[in-house]
């Protein structure tokens, strides 16, 4: 799917089962790994600006709603 979205430049992947996603990223996409939502929040904060669009895709089991809530 990522190959169909050429405007995606960076991914923050959360959890222990995302290595395959990182390995399948198209050239030019930077993928960073975070062990939990707190680590992902720290990584995301480094890259936020007025032009940043964030999509959070995951499960409640990963607690990613906390990531969203930490920025709203």
């Amino acid at each position: 799917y990522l190959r169909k979205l050429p405007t995606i430049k960076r991914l923050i992947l959360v959890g222990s089962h995302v290595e395959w996603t990182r390995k399948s990223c198209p050239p030019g996409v930077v993928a960073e790994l975070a062990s939990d939502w707190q680590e992902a929040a720290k990584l995301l904060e480094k890259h936020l600006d007025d032009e940043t669009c964030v999509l959070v895709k995951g499960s409640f089991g990963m607690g990613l709603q906390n990531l969203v809530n930490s920025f709203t």
Side-chain angles (χ1 to χ4, degrees):
Y1 296 107
L2 291 174
R3 296 184 196 290
K4 296 179 181 181
L5 301 167
T7 58
I8 292 179
K9 303 297 181 208
R10 178 175 305 277
L11 294 174
I12 299 173
L13 304 169
V14 182
S16 59
H17 302 288
V18 293
E19 182 64 27
W20 62 270
T21 302
R22 187 188 63 76
K23 289 180 180 178
S24 67
C25 285
V29 174
V30 176
E32 298 179 81
L33 301 177
S35 59
D36 55 28
W37 73 265
Q38 293 96 333
E39 188 178 344
K42 290 175 186 174
L43 291 171
L44 179 58
E45 192 167 31
K46 293 179 188 177
H47 303 290
L48 286 179
D49 61 30
D50 291 341
E51 299 296 317
T52 304
C53 178
V54 177
L55 168 67
V56 177
K57 167 70 175 90
S59 67
F60 283 105
M62 291 294 301
L64 294 182
Q65 73 276 12
N66 298 313
L67 173 70
V68 173
N69 291 337
S70 72
F71 287 96
T72 57

